[in-house]
Amino acid sequence: MTDTLQIDPIEALKDKEPSKPPRSQWRDVWDQFRKHKGALFGGGFLLFITLFVIIGPYIWTLDAQKLDIRNKDMRPIYTWLWDGSAKIAWNRPLGTDNLGRDMLANMIKGGRTSLAVGWAAMVLALFLGTLIGVLSGYFKRLDGILMRFTDLVLSLPLLPLLLVAVTLFRQPLRAAFGPEEGMFILIVGVIGITSWMQTARIVRGEVLALKEREFILAARSIGTTPGKIITRHLLPNIMSPIMVSATLGLATAIITESALSFLGVGFPSDFPTWGKMLADSVPRMTEYPERVLLPGIAISLTVLSVNYLGDGLRDALDPRVRGR
Amino acid sequence: MKFRTLMLGAAASFAMAPMAMAERGADGNVNIIYWQAPSTLNPYLSSGTKDIEAASLVIEPLGRYDQNGALVPYLASEIPTVENGGVAADLKSITWKLKSGLLWSDGSPVTSADLKFTADYCMHPEGGCAQLAKFEGVEGVEVVDDLTVTVTFSEPKPNPYGPFMGGQSPILQAAQFAECLGARAPECTEANFGPIGTGPFTVTDFRPNDVIQMEANQNFRDASKPAFATLTFKGGGDAVGAGRAVLETGEFDYAWNLQLAPDVIAKMAEGGKGKTIAAFGSLVERLEMNMTNPSPDLPEGERSTAKHPHPFMTDLAVRKALSMAIDRDLLVEVGYGQAGRPTCNLVPAPALYASDNTDCLTQDIAGANAMLDDAGWVDSDGDGVREKDGIKLSILFQTSTNAVRQDFQALIKDSWAQIGVETELRNIDGSVYFGGDPGSPDTFQKFYADVEMYANNFDGTDPESYLAQRTCDKHPGPDTQWQGENINRFCDPAYDALVAELGKTGELEKRGEIAKKLNDMLTKESYSILPLVDRGRVSAHANSLGGVVLNTWDSELWNVADWYRIK
Amino acid sequence: MLTFTIRRLILSVPTLLFIALVIFLLLELAPGDPMAQVPLTVPPEVKEKMREALGLGQPAHIRFFKWLYQFFVVEPMVFWDWMWGTTYTEGMQRVISWQTRSPVMDIVVQRMPQTLWVVGMAYIVGILIALPIGIYSAYRQYSVFDQAGTFVSMIGFSIPPFFTGPLLIVLFSVQLGWFPSIYDTTHVVTDWASFKVQFMQMIMPVMVLALQTTAQISRYMRASMLENLNEDYVRTARAKGLSEAVVVMVHVLRNSMIPVVTVIALGMPAIFGGAIITENVFKVNGIGQLLLTALFANDIPMVLTLTFIFAILIVVFNLIADILYGVLDPRIRYD
């Protein structure tokens, strides 16, 4: 407000040479993003955890599946701080499990799988959910059938569905991609196609409300094609519920994967994931709290950082917020 | 209401402390938790252990097996044998005599008509009776007088204690179930959920798959028993929660079958509210070596059938080396603790039938390596895996999903890696693996893997039918909808002949000898089955619960009438 | 609106029939066997006889139509009989569970109270906590409160109940001895003392479940509030001098509630579906535990009936959510 008062009205009518070249949109996005401390932290942590699981195995070369029964049930080295008699060793910084497998190596290998499953399943679910939500919200003719289809998928019992999928597709996928990759595709697929419904519902609701707004009407009146309206006008405006779905989806995917392994329809038992490490250690929770806490904290922090990152991205991408 | 009876019970027990033990219902309420919940109280409709054991509180057989596997009369006045004339000399009939003066919980007398009815009920062609195997070979049940029946068999039966013996075959009241024969069995919900029995307790409220409430049977044959006035039988949850409720929080008095790793149980026992008890039966965790080729390249219907022998499992040296590489002591230490013993036998007990075979108990990696070297299995391409004639020693090893089994898989895979055998692990949900769905590739009968692990035992104390499962004609295959008990497709005519001989032998000593020989043929001679652990049963009871005797040959609650509260 | 509702109701009948068919086929295809839990000592011939007694010998389409008849004709008549004391259904075959050999609906009715008490209460508690948290964190975006709220709700969402459940039991039942670790389903509330017992045994499962609900709903509430706080109408409202409380609690809240109400309505069927893991951990033997045991026992009539009841609830609540949408947001038109 005060700025405008100082401007000389005559000066304002003159054309001025731009003193600076125009700032690119992405520059603005980055500037806004940088202001968000949580987002920076989230992005940093996500980068760290991704590097940790990718580069980790080259630095910490111990085999996650190597049994070392004499050195079983070791505690992490930090327990030494309060319990001098704890069984610890410097070459096992996070301790070992009940069969003597190294926890650090397992965290690295488990994180690899968990992150990959989480991201892949989340992206798949998000894609399906947004697609179906936008289509059924925007095109009235598709709405009925797509929403009934959503009802159908929502009411399917997950466990039999999984068992059917495993029975029908495991052998061909195993033959085509090998035992581990085949199982990976199967699990990501199953989690993805059974968790998009919430997103679809919410996206549809938002689209229903948005498409009655004036700017959509304006866009339509100047002859913008539905495809363009969706990509240019609708999608950017429903980013925030999508982002929320994404963060929740990542957590759900990691947890669902652990529940699947827990029920014996997931990865083979010699294939660690964070979720499975957590589930397996629950009976020994009081004795070896680190075995549940380490994977539990890893999952939580990952989800948290994705959440902050999503928050920051949403703010940075929204021009209404960016101006302030 | 319940709280009041409990208080009254407590008050009464204080007042008459010295006499308390001798009076029915003096000790108030007892809480039992089973982490699998009973679905029905009619064991003829469901053969799940949970259902049979819950039913054993209410309905009783003529005789039970005690903790040593010996026969004890319950409703019968004595156990019939050849010596006392109860069993005919030609082994074709057995005559049971009821105790006199027995009453059902509704006050009517127990007669031999009830015995005959029970047999008719189970043997009805449309009934789908779950305990039909108990009545196998029964030609007829004749009522001799009010208290006596004779069961006749179509062929000589060296072990005639199938019908009316043990928890699986209790006596039903004819009057209550008269309308429930055959296809009408499921319509009698009320009877199935609250059978009238002779046992120490009667049902007051049954909630399927959840909780059962019972009270003392006022017509129980021993006037001073049971010591508890009421009983709550809670089901559901998992073994950890059940163990915790008895050992750590003390909410429950008895927890059944704590299938948990030994360190977890030990930690819980530190809670100090209760103690664990263990006993051994005939349950053996074993590895089955597939003698046929499970390769997915074979056409469906020919995989894992006798048409295609296994490329390397048929080599005795390979099977023996696989056995030698396993450290069974370690497996027991990791998985079962006090509830397991390393074993080399398929029939670990009773003593009469158990072979003295112990040569597998020591792990011998060097010996196994040497044996494979001698047999021509060498690692020629330096990838750590032995091969011969282009065939790699690469094994697919499957089992059901269960924390202890997955630990075993990891340990065994590790041992086998040390002798140059590569292992791929797979675990399958138990409801699929142990289900016989012929459409599923993952059942243990189909055995689409090279090695698989599970546990099995036999009913009662006689292993004849158990050993007879391994004859050539019992291979599972597409022609029998994959129903068959010879899981590893072992086939040896000499074995079949010996099984036939066992069926004709009545003399106990001789039967024992033959059974031991059969056991050895399957284990130390052929290594087609690698027994790993003789699995016991661990249960837990509160410190204040007395009279518990753990029994693995019959229902765990077999002597619940003798339980009492320690004061 | 009325025509829309009627049209949707009529349309839902074929939808539900189709859903029933798909669930049935799925269960048929699934590689389970009701005999899986029968001990291995039972010989295969006996198992085959038991399968026949369950009606598995009949072809699949006959079984499906039988079930449809039983579910849509016999069961409502049984309900009618029970209401008015008539006996029309004498001798008619009801939907029978394979595990218990008793009518499925009787068990469902028996299980409902536990599930509604625990899961329903948790949902209400969860929403009551979530809404203020969501509103305040959005209003004071990036404040300490917002950061803490985000952190707690993310933890709540990313830590599975099979961990929080045993953790609470170890803390409050084993160490402190405050609450029972096993839920007594036979407990009847008659007076203040028995209500206290009920409250004590409910508190842990309710808290575990409420944590999940809170985490989810507060996220949606916050996102939706943030969206609306930047809208032009908020500026207008402030500009015309309305108090901040009125702006936020009336103008913004009403508009932000639209997507949140959908999320809440869509979550309702899940209450009746129970909470499988939490029910199992605390032995609250409700519908979730019933479904889980039925699934593991491959009790097809039970699973089919339960999932179909959920399907009905999902369709109904979906319709309710759509109608609410129309009521709350006049811009949306269905005709």
Side-chain angles (χ1 to χ4, degrees):
Chain A
M1 286 293 213
T2 48
D3 294 343
T4 47
L5 287 177
Q6 288 165 351
I7 289 173
D8 192 317
I10 298 160
E11 195 74 358
L13 292 172
K14 289 185 188 165
D15 277 344
K16 257 197 304 190
E17 287 295 307
S19 51
K20 277 188 285 179
R23 287 164 62 87
S24 87
Q25 185 194 358
W26 295 108
R27 185 80 190 263
D28 280 355
V29 168
W30 170 243
D31 279 352
Q32 173 67 26
F33 183 76
R34 248 187 353 190
K35 281 192 206 146
H36 193 309
K37 290 274 155 18
L40 274 186
F41 163 77
F45 182 78
L46 207 61
L47 196 68
F48 164 73
I49 203 104
T50 314
L51 288 178
F52 172 72
V53 300
I54 291 174
I55 302 179
Y58 301 103
I59 298 168
W60 190 253
T61 48
L62 217 60
D63 179 8
Q65 285 309 304
K66 179 91 186 86
L67 301 189
D68 184 4
I69 205 74
R70 267 184 304 278
N71 290 323
K72 67 171 182 173
D73 292 337
M74 293 248 234
R75 306 302 304 274
I77 36 179
Y78 59 77
T79 29
W80 178 79
L81 289 176
W82 61 86
D83 180 7
S85 60
K87 193 173 153 192
I88 56 157
W90 282 103
N91 60 350
R92 299 279 185 281
L94 294 183
T96 57
D97 72 358
N98 63 322
L99 295 180
R101 287 176 287 216
D102 182 60
M103 283 293 283
L104 179 56
N106 265 293
M107 284 295 290
I108 295 171
K109 197 169 173 213
R112 229 178 212 209
T113 325
S114 284
L115 283 183
V117 168
W119 280 106
M122 183 260 272
V123 168
L124 179 64
L126 217 55
F127 173 74
L128 282 174
T130 312
L131 182 74
I132 290 179
V134 166
L135 287 183
S136 80
Y138 192 81
F139 301 102
K140 206 174 278 170
R141 244 173 311 143
L142 292 175
D143 189 25
I145 188 136
L146 281 178
M147 279 299 113
R148 300 298 79 72
F149 176 67
T150 313
D151 288 349
L152 170 68
V153 182
L154 261 180
S155 50
L156 287 182
L158 184 64
L159 202 57
L161 184 71
L162 268 167
L163 293 176
V164 171
V166 169
T167 315
L168 295 180
F169 305 119
R170 185 177 47 207
Q171 204 56 52
L173 283 172
R174 185 171 178 261
F177 301 100
E180 282 162 13
E181 287 73 17
M183 210 61 213
F184 180 82
I185 294 171
L186 193 65
I187 287 177
V188 165
V190 166
I191 297 178
I193 60 171
T194 51
S195 52
W196 54 266
M197 292 83 73
Q198 187 91 329
T199 315
R201 281 273 177 55
I202 290 154
V203 167
R204 168 177 172 271
E206 293 277 327
V207 171
L208 274 181
L210 274 177
K211 78 170 181 189
E212 304 291 335
R213 299 267 292 261
E214 291 76 9
F215 70 96
I216 301 287
L217 197 70
R220 207 183 300 160
S221 66
I222 58 167
T224 319
T225 57
K228 272 274 178 304
I229 293 184
I230 289 171
T231 49
R232 293 294 297 252
H233 300 290
L234 283 177
L235 279 182
N237 276 298
I238 52 173
M239 269 327 261
S240 75
I242 292 181
M243 279 296 174
V244 175
S245 295
T247 43
L248 297 181
L250 184 76
T252 325
I254 293 180
I255 303 290
T256 312
E257 183 280 317
S258 74
L260 296 190
S261 304
F262 193 63
L263 292 169
V265 282
F267 288 104
S269 58
D270 53 348
F271 205 74
T273 68
W274 283 343
K276 198 161 60 176
M277 290 167 74
L278 175 61
D280 289 349
S281 316
V282 166
R284 296 188 179 84
M285 189 164 54
T286 46
E287 237 177 326
Y288 305 104
E290 69 274 6
R291 289 195 206 155
V292 281
L293 289 179
L294 286 173
I297 289 173
I299 297 176
S300 300
L301 282 183
T302 308
V303 173
L304 201 63
S305 61
V306 172
N307 183 55
Y308 278 124
L309 187 68
D311 244 15
L313 275 183
R314 192 200 56 215
D315 287 359
L317 291 174
D318 190 340
R320 282 170 301 178
V321 181
R322 199 160 64 219
R324 292 186 297 169
Chain B
M1 180 61 212
K2 216 180 72 200
F3 184 62
R4 249 184 79 197
T5 37
L6 212 148
M7 286 305 286
L8 283 176
S13 63
F14 269 116
M16 302 177 275
M19 291 174 57
M21 280 201 39
E23 191 167 344
R24 174 176 296 159
D27 285 353
N29 186 47
V30 62
N31 281 312
I32 298 175
I33 184 162
Y34 270 48
W35 50 270
Q36 290 180 348
S39 321
T40 174
L41 287 179
N42 183 348
Y44 294 107
L45 292 185
S46 168
S47 46
T49 317
K50 58 200 171 82
D51 305 314
I52 290 171
E53 304 215 340
S56 75
L57 295 163
V58 181
I59 44 180
E60 295 177 306
L62 294 177
R64 286 195 193 281
Y65 300 94
D66 72 2
Q67 70 273 25
N68 303 316
L71 285 66
V72 192
Y74 264 58
L75 298 185
S77 55
E78 63 172 351
I79 296 291
T81 57
V82 180
E83 287 77 45
N84 66 22
V87 178
D90 63 355
L91 304 177
K92 287 184 82 168
S93 71
I94 180 168
T95 303
W96 290 93
K97 206 167 161 45
L98 284 164
K99 280 179 181 151
S100 56
L102 287 177
L103 292 178
W104 292 105
S105 57
D106 64 357
S108 59
V110 181
T111 68
S112 49
D114 294 313
L115 298 182
K116 176 155 173 54
F117 175 80
T118 302
D120 290 346
Y121 180 83
C122 187
M123 285 156 60
H124 195 285
E126 288 160 25
C129 174
Q131 308 299 347
L132 200 56
K134 289 268 162 197
F135 291 85
E136 200 193 322
V138 173
E139 205 171 52
V141 179
E142 283 163 53
V143 175
V144 179
D145 61 43
D146 258 7
L147 295 178
T148 320
V149 292
T150 301
V151 182
T152 50
F153 300 99
S154 50
E155 276 167 44
K157 260 252 195 272
N159 175 30
Y161 306 111
F164 313 132
M165 182 71 202
Q168 284 100 334
S169 167
I171 314 301
L172 298 177
Q173 191 195 36
Q176 191 188 17
F177 283 88
E179 296 294 307
C180 312
L181 283 171
R184 307 194 58 188
E187 286 172 32
C188 300
T189 306
E190 222 165 287
N192 294 334
F193 284 179
I196 293 169
T198 53
F201 291 95
T202 59
V203 183
T204 50
D205 182 23
F206 179 86
R207 300 190 180 188
N209 289 353
D210 181 12
V211 64
I212 314 170
Q213 285 177 298
M214 299 191 187
E215 60 182 18
N217 174 6
Q218 293 309 319
N219 292 312
F220 189 58
R221 57 186 176 278
D222 186 336
S224 64
K225 288 174 182 173
F228 292 100
T230 54
L231 179 148
T232 308
F233 189 111
K234 175 88 180 175
D238 50 24
V240 183
R244 194 170 276 143
V246 170
L247 296 170
E248 290 191 296
T249 68
E251 289 164 83
F252 278 74
D253 295 308
Y254 189 86
W256 160 83
N257 193 12
L258 301 178
Q259 264 182 30
L260 296 169
D263 55 319
V264 176
I265 295 188
K267 178 74 191 163
M268 278 184 187
E270 285 171 20
K273 296 270 171 44
K275 37 181 164 290
T276 56
I277 38 175
F280 288 87
S282 58
L283 188 65
V284 171
E285 188 84 28
R286 83 286 295 280
L287 295 180
E288 301 263 359
M289 309 272 124
N290 197 345
M291 309 299 268
T292 58
N293 193 350
S295 163
D297 303 333
L298 293 171
E300 195 59 40
E302 292 187 16
R303 285 177 80 179
S304 283
T305 62
K307 229 182 223 172
H308 304 277
H310 197 282
F312 57 83
M313 276 299 176
T314 38
D315 185 346
L316 178 62
V318 173
R319 301 196 300 264
K320 188 164 183 193
L322 291 177
S323 174
M324 287 161 79
I326 297 171
D327 186 350
R328 288 171 172 79
D329 287 315
L330 180 65
L331 291 179
V332 168
E333 186 197 317
V334 167
Y336 294 100
Q338 61 162 347
R341 293 188 290 220
T343 186
C344 303
N345 288 321
L346 197 58
V347 181
L352 175 66
Y353 299 106
S355 166
D356 56 356
N357 166 27
T358 54
D359 58 352
C360 75
L361 292 185
T362 36
Q363 185 190 25
D364 184 4
I365 298 276
N369 271 320
M371 179 171 291
L372 288 174
D373 285 339
D374 293 346
W377 295 96
V378 282
D379 180 14
S380 49
D381 56 4
D383 61 352
V385 184
R386 291 171 187 272
E387 58 264 307
K388 180 165 123 181
D389 309 331
I391 301 169
K392 267 177 166 332
L393 284 184
S394 174
I395 287 175
L396 177 62
F397 176 14
Q398 70 179 17
T399 189
S400 72
T401 303
N402 166 311
V404 172
R405 290 210 168 110
Q406 266 72 77
D407 285 353
F408 273 32
Q409 277 189 313
L411 287 166
I412 291 171
K413 176 181 177 176
D414 187 57
S415 306
W416 286 350
Q418 294 176 41
I419 59 167
V421 176
E422 177 187 59
T423 316
E424 182 194 330
L425 303 183
R426 204 163 96 196
N427 53 319
I428 301 158
D429 180 47
S431 63
V432 175
Y433 185 64
F434 292 117
D437 185 351
S440 163
D442 295 327
T443 64
F444 81 114
Q445 293 102 329
K446 268 203 179 164
F447 205 167
Y448 283 179
D450 304 298
V451 175
E452 67 181 3
M453 177 164 65
Y454 65 94
N456 197 0
N457 64 334
F458 50 92
D459 272 340
T461 52
D462 188 276
E464 181 188 331
S465 59
Y466 182 57
L467 288 164
Q469 290 171 357
R470 300 293 165 165
T471 53
C472 300
D473 57 336
K474 297 229 170 108
H475 283 197
D479 45 333
T480 56
Q481 293 297 300
W482 298 94
Q483 304 302 314
E485 295 157 313
N486 192 351
I487 300 303
N488 63 356
R489 285 73 160 155
F490 170 85
C491 185
D492 182 355
Y495 186 88
D496 292 12
L498 207 53
V499 167
E501 198 187 323
L502 181 64
K504 283 180 266 173
T505 313
E507 196 189 328
L508 274 182
E509 295 298 312
K510 194 92 181 63
R511 285 177 70 78
E513 256 169 56
I514 298 174
K516 283 181 196 168
K517 176 70 187 144
L518 288 170
N519 172 67
D520 291 351
M521 286 173 87
L522 291 173
T523 55
K524 74 172 172 191
E525 286 170 25
S526 71
Y527 288 96
S528 63
I529 296 175
L530 311 184
L532 300 174
V533 180
D534 174 11
R535 277 176 54 185
R537 175 72 68 80
V538 177
S539 295
H541 67 85
N543 289 332
S544 64
L545 186 68
V548 179
V549 179
L550 187 58
N551 184 345
T552 53
W553 302 105
D554 207 309
S555 164
E556 249 181 57
L557 306 172
W558 69 299
N559 73 336
V560 69
D562 302 334
W563 290 9
Y564 60 93
R565 184 72 65 198
I566 299 170
K567 307 232 163 52
Chain C
M1 203 51 144
L2 189 69
T3 42
F4 166 76
T5 313
I6 293 171
R7 204 178 58 222
R8 276 286 297 273
L9 276 176
I10 294 171
L11 209 80
S12 61
V13 174
T15 313
L16 281 171
L17 284 177
F18 183 69
I19 291 178
L21 179 67
V22 172
I23 298 175
F24 180 79
L25 290 177
L26 187 67
L27 295 175
E28 278 297 302
L29 265 176
D33 177 17
M35 297 296 119
Q37 287 182 336
V38 168
L40 299 182
T41 47
V42 173
E45 308 85 65
V46 175
K47 284 189 194 164
E48 199 48 51
K49 284 243 171 66
M50 290 169 72
R51 272 189 209 107
E52 268 167 38
L54 295 178
L56 267 173
Q58 290 167 326
H61 62 274
I62 302 238
R63 274 182 287 137
F64 180 61
F65 285 113
K66 240 182 167 168
W67 177 84
L68 275 185
Y69 178 75
Q70 286 164 358
F71 187 86
F72 283 106
V73 180
V74 180
E75 292 297 340
M77 281 169 75
V78 170
F79 181 69
W80 179 270
D81 280 359
W82 177 79
M83 284 283 285
W84 309 106
T86 51
T87 49
Y88 293 119
T89 48
E90 196 77 16
M92 280 189 183
Q93 174 106 55
R94 300 178 61 187
V95 185
I96 298 281
S97 150
W98 285 350
Q99 291 170 86
T100 66
R101 302 293 199 94
S102 70
V104 169
M105 289 311 279
D106 291 1
I107 307 175
V108 173
V109 169
Q110 203 176 60
R111 294 301 181 91
M112 246 343 168
Q114 288 89 283
T115 293
L116 290 185
W117 265 110
V118 174
V119 190
M121 190 61 80
Y123 203 61
I124 294 171
V125 170
I127 293 171
L128 288 182
I129 302 177
L131 294 186
I133 291 184
I135 295 169
Y136 194 74
S137 351
Y139 188 64
R140 292 255 177 269
Q141 197 185 4
Y142 306 137
S143 67
V144 178
F145 181 87
D146 179 30
Q147 306 286 11
T150 307
F151 191 76
V152 170
S153 61
M154 275 302 119
I155 299 243
F157 206 81
S158 56
I159 293 192
F162 59 76
F163 170 57
T164 35
L167 182 71
L168 286 187
I169 289 182
V170 166
L171 267 181
F172 292 108
S173 299
V174 178
Q175 304 290 343
L176 298 170
W178 289 356
F179 310 121
S181 72
I182 288 170
Y183 188 94
D184 179 6
T185 45
T186 57
H187 185 76
V188 187
V189 178
T190 49
D191 52 10
W192 182 246
S194 60
F195 177 76
K196 236 180 99 181
V197 173
Q198 176 70 14
F199 182 75
M200 298 285 264
Q201 67 174 354
M202 268 172 58
I203 199 157
M204 287 200 296
V206 165
M207 278 305 146
V208 167
L209 286 171
L211 184 66
Q212 306 259 315
T213 319
T214 308
Q216 196 176 3
I217 298 205
S218 70
R219 292 321 290 166
Y220 281 115
M221 188 74 228
R222 178 178 177 272
S224 173
M225 283 290 282
L226 280 178
E227 191 91 315
N228 278 288
L229 277 170
N230 296 324
E231 293 282 344
D232 294 338
Y233 72 83
V234 180
R235 206 170 307 149
T236 315
R238 285 199 180 116
K240 72 182 184 187
L242 289 179
S243 75
E244 198 61 15
V246 173
V247 171
V248 175
M249 299 311 283
V250 178
H251 288 75
V252 181
L253 186 60
R254 199 185 149 180
N255 283 293
S256 320
M257 280 305 279
I258 297 170
V260 178
V261 163
T262 337
V263 175
I264 292 176
L266 295 178
M268 291 286 205
I271 298 179
F272 295 89
I276 291 184
I277 293 176
T278 314
E279 284 192 5
N280 226 18
V281 168
F282 293 99
K283 283 98 190 158
V284 184
N285 293 339
I287 302 279
Q289 188 260 6
L290 188 66
L291 180 64
L292 188 73
T293 46
L295 277 171
F296 279 124
N298 291 297
D299 184 352
I300 291 182
M302 176 85 86
V303 177
L304 185 58
T305 309
L306 283 176
T307 43
F308 189 65
I309 294 175
F310 300 156
I312 295 178
L313 290 171
I314 286 168
V315 170
V316 167
F317 276 99
N318 199 357
L319 179 60
I320 292 177
D322 277 350
I323 294 172
L324 275 179
Y325 238 86
V327 173
L328 288 173
D329 192 342
R331 285 170 305 191
I332 293 172
R333 286 204 197 105
Y334 287 117
D335 27 53

